[in-house]
Amino acid sequence: STWTGSKAASGSLSVSGYPNGSYTFSLSCTNAAGTTVGSTPFTVSATPAPIVDIKGWGNSVPQGSPTDGPVAMNVGDVGGLEWTASNATSCTISRDGTNLGSIPVNGSADVGPMVVTTTHTISCTGPGGTEDDTVIHTVPAVPAVTFSASPTSAASPMSTTLSWSTTNSPTSCTAGGGWSGSKTPAGGSQVISGIVTGTT
């Protein structure tokens, strides 16, 4: 209700429906001796939205000093998450877009052993809405190799050209089987001659 009209000499009344802003409520009371006016200020403000902060630690970041930024990891490392939320009544966590369920409003958890780059997002809800925050643990991608021989068969003795290309920036490549030694990680080709009867 709104604050207007005649009121009892004593009592209480709930008021509602006022938009955001500042107000002054007043009450004027009169008897034979005169009139007294009392007033009180009142402010209506929007319910604050949740504030969510998730941090990560791991290979490149110590557990005692988690960071908002990406956390560099090696394959097989175990890292962790720490999070806090205010103005929130519930929170959930997801990994790479898959909801993993409810979690405490404040807490921590281990993640790993790491295999690939992983994104964790915490979403928290309260009277003022829903907010989220994200942290990423980055893991170098395993190198991939495309390898071929041309031709793959011919009369003995034969020659063939071995060709290879790589992705995810390997730092070294080593040959085995019918050839040997260190090979260019960025890719290349090599002619192999004098292959005699049989399979190599």
Side-chain angles (χ1 to χ4, degrees):
S1 66
T2 56
W3 180 251
T4 59
S6 178
K7 306 300 177 187
S10 64
S12 63
L13 178 68
S14 295
V15 295
S16 61
Y18 287 85
N20 294 348
S22 296
Y23 303 88
T24 299
F25 295 97
S26 63
L27 181 67
S28 175
C29 295
T30 302
N31 65 11
T35 299
T36 298
V37 177
S39 64
T40 183
F42 186 78
T43 301
V44 179
S45 59
T47 303
I51 300 173
V52 184
D53 185 25
I54 180 174
K55 297 179 183 294
W57 58 268
N59 180 51
S60 66
V61 178
Q63 184 172 359
S65 303
T67 180
D68 291 320
V71 180
M73 304 287 286
N74 293 319
V75 174
D77 284 350
V78 174
L81 307 171
E82 297 181 14
W83 66 90
T84 59
S86 56
N87 308 322
T89 55
S90 64
C91 296
T92 60
I93 187 169
S94 63
R95 181 175 58 233
D96 295 330
T98 299
N99 190 341
L100 302 181
S102 298
I103 56 172
V105 171
N106 300 299
S108 62
D110 290 341
V111 293
M114 305 302 298
V115 178
V116 296
T117 295
T118 304
T119 300
H120 285 93
T121 300
I122 289 180
S123 179
C124 296
T125 300
T130 299
E131 294 292 335
D132 56 46
D133 194 21
T134 295
V135 70
I136 300 173
H137 287 80
T138 62
V139 178
V142 175
V145 180
T146 300
F147 186 52
S148 64
S150 180
T152 57
S153 63
S156 176
M158 69 170 285
S159 296
T160 188
T161 300
L162 303 179
S163 301
W164 68 99
S165 61
T166 65
T167 58
N168 302 328
S169 303
T171 55
S172 65
C173 292
T174 304
W179 65 334
S180 62
S182 178
K183 306 301 174 183
T184 305
S189 63
Q190 182 176 340
V191 176
I192 306 296
S193 302
I195 304 172
V196 295
T197 301
T199 299
T200 300

